[in-house]
Amino acid sequence: MKIVSRIKLPIETEMELFEKKFSASMSSKVSLLNRITHYVVNRKGKQMRPMFVFLIAKMTGNGQVNERTYRGASVIELIHTATLVHDDVVDDSNRRRGFFSINALWKNKIAVLVGDYLLSKGLLLSIDNDDFDLLKIISVAVREMSEGELLQIEKARRLDITEEIYFEIIRQKTATLIAACCAMGARSVMAPDEEVEKMRKFGELIGTAFQIKDDLFDYGTEHIGKPTGIDIKEQKMTLPLIYALNHSSSQEKKWLINSVKNHNKDKQRVKEVITFVKDNGGLDYAVTKMKEYQQQALQLLESYPTSPYKESLELMVNYVIDRKK
């Protein structure tokens, strides 16, 4: 059985019902909107975020979920989808998960409006049901994701990202939404504040490990295959590159920054940067850091009794750093 199917096993019934509720939460009286949201629903990814919500809710709620859990998962997915639609406009991207993006099919103006619609649907789903505690969790995540994106844009102009700033950017951009899923799962079943915070931290640690794994894909390893160099072409400062920069001579540093800034479209130069980062311990360092975050996340689960939900979450933590794409 595939790893994702194994993770999903203890929440299969909930995920099936969730999909129906999620589709219903998108409905509108405008047929164009319904056409677009239908397109979105049918091109879903692995649905890791709702899986986190249900697994955490069941682990912290004695195997039970409730309507708030379904609403929490729907809110997360609505708002996550809204941010993806807006991201594709910002990045001028024509593809999403191997399919055409909304802006490629329906143009930017419609894509921005669809993103706004999904965002408002998510907010109203919480407000209409007085789920103000759940709304606060997701609102904080949206604020942080926007700040993280803007911080990255600001720093990319000068390429002056320290390791500390890098971790702050990925915490806000990637980890904060997974943290919100985990906090949402615990809060939906009325877990105490300390437990909600513990689960939020768990999600943040996994989200950080997830992003470092994404950074590593850019360089390729014997497991991952050919290096892509896409992050270098897009002038993104990743952990392996930051480490190599911090552990090189001033002349090498100059060459690296010049390569990323002015020669990022030169295939040969990008290859040389990848080789330099590998030879100077950038990948080894990133792998070590990723495993540290993985171990910290697993430690937070130790106090929970053995259950199918805990086992799935442990599988999920390991899948994040073992995945091949």
Side-chain angles (χ1 to χ4, degrees):
M1 190 188 283
K2 277 188 174 173
I3 182 89
V4 178
S5 305
R6 276 172 63 202
I7 293 167
K8 212 185 255 193
L9 210 55
I11 49 163
E12 232 169 10
T13 314
E14 285 81 5
M15 287 300 289
E16 276 176 28
L17 184 53
F18 161 73
E19 285 190 27
K20 292 185 184 119
K21 287 176 183 281
F22 179 58
S23 295
S25 71
M26 280 189 172
S27 68
S28 156
K29 289 176 184 153
V30 179
S31 59
L32 172 62
L33 248 176
N34 285 335
R35 264 206 318 280
I36 296 171
T37 53
H38 180 72
Y39 180 81
V40 169
V41 169
N42 286 340
R43 277 146 196 80
K44 60 184 181 297
K46 295 187 187 80
Q47 292 193 304
M48 288 301 198
R49 286 160 192 84
M51 281 159 69
F52 272 121
V53 177
F54 288 111
L55 286 169
I56 296 276
K58 288 199 131 191
M59 185 181 74
T60 57
N62 298 319
Q64 301 299 311
V65 298
N66 55 38
E67 281 304 315
R68 271 165 57 84
T69 315
Y70 286 102
R71 289 198 296 269
S74 292
V75 167
I76 290 271
E77 203 66 348
L78 280 164
I79 287 176
H80 173 58
T81 309
T83 60
L84 293 184
V85 172
H86 283 165
D87 279 353
D88 288 339
V89 175
V90 170
D91 299 338
D92 202 16
S93 173
N94 289 325
R95 314 285 289 184
R96 167 69 63 184
R97 297 180 184 133
F99 296 97
F100 283 116
S101 58
I102 305 281
N103 49 305
L105 292 173
W106 284 282
K107 303 295 176 241
N108 283 352
K109 187 176 179 179
I110 288 175
V112 170
L113 293 168
V114 168
D116 290 347
Y117 171 78
L118 295 173
L119 197 63
S120 66
K121 273 287 197 183
L123 300 176
L124 284 168
L125 185 59
S126 295
I127 292 165
D128 291 345
N129 293 284
D130 292 342
D131 295 332
F132 296 109
D133 51 347
L134 305 186
L135 182 59
K136 185 173 182 183
I137 290 170
I138 192 63
S139 299
V140 169
V142 172
R143 182 196 69 206
E144 295 211 316
M145 283 155 68
S146 310
E147 285 178 350
E149 284 286 356
L150 289 164
L151 180 59
Q152 186 175 48
I153 291 166
E154 180 191 332
K155 293 296 174 184
R157 287 179 181 159
R158 289 164 54 198
L159 297 186
D160 61 346
I161 293 186
T162 61
E163 197 174 306
E164 193 184 348
I165 291 172
Y166 163 84
F167 277 111
E168 182 55 15
I169 287 171
I170 67 167
R171 185 190 70 75
Q172 291 186 315
K173 267 190 67 180
T174 306
T176 195
L177 191 61
I178 297 176
C181 295
C182 297
M184 191 78 92
R187 176 62 78 200
S188 74
V189 291
M190 301 303 189
D193 290 351
E194 312 81 71
E195 194 167 24
V196 173
E197 176 50 29
K198 186 178 174 182
M199 291 298 96
R200 188 201 66 74
K201 187 67 189 165
F202 169 77
E204 195 175 274
L205 290 164
I206 296 182
T208 305
F210 182 93
Q211 186 55 54
I212 298 173
K213 179 70 172 187
D214 265 9
D215 286 1
L216 288 164
F217 284 135
D218 206 46
Y219 292 88
T221 67
E222 60 278 16
H223 311 297
I224 297 166
K226 281 186 197 158
T228 60
I230 289 167
D231 287 336
I232 296 166
K233 287 170 195 152
E234 292 178 356
Q235 298 188 15
K236 276 185 190 158
M237 295 296 277
T238 57
L239 190 57
L241 181 58
I242 291 166
Y243 181 85
L245 267 172
N246 290 340
H247 295 80
S248 54
S249 68
S250 56
Q251 201 157 355
E252 288 167 334
K253 200 176 261 189
K254 225 180 242 176
W255 173 81
L256 264 178
I257 288 177
N258 185 32
S259 302
V260 176
K261 252 192 168 166
N262 305 314
H263 302 280
N264 51 51
K265 302 286 186 278
D266 177 339
K267 278 185 186 166
Q268 187 51 39
R269 191 75 170 254
V270 168
K271 240 184 217 170
E272 286 166 16
V273 170
I274 287 170
T275 304
F276 181 87
V277 170
K278 280 182 182 173
D279 293 349
N280 284 269
L283 295 196
D284 293 339
Y285 178 74
V287 168
T288 303
K289 291 301 274 185
M290 175 178 75
K291 287 184 174 167
E292 278 174 23
Y293 282 99
Q294 175 207 25
Q295 289 311 311
Q296 287 174 39
L298 289 171
Q299 278 165 14
L300 288 178
L301 296 178
E302 279 175 6
S303 59
Y304 289 93
T306 303
S307 70
Y309 323 114
K310 179 183 171 178
E311 282 167 19
S312 278
L313 285 164
E314 287 168 341
L315 269 178
M316 185 92 96
V317 175
N318 295 325
Y319 168 73
V320 158
I321 73 163
D322 295 334
R323 66 201 162 98
K324 302 289 182 277
K325 60 178 180 176

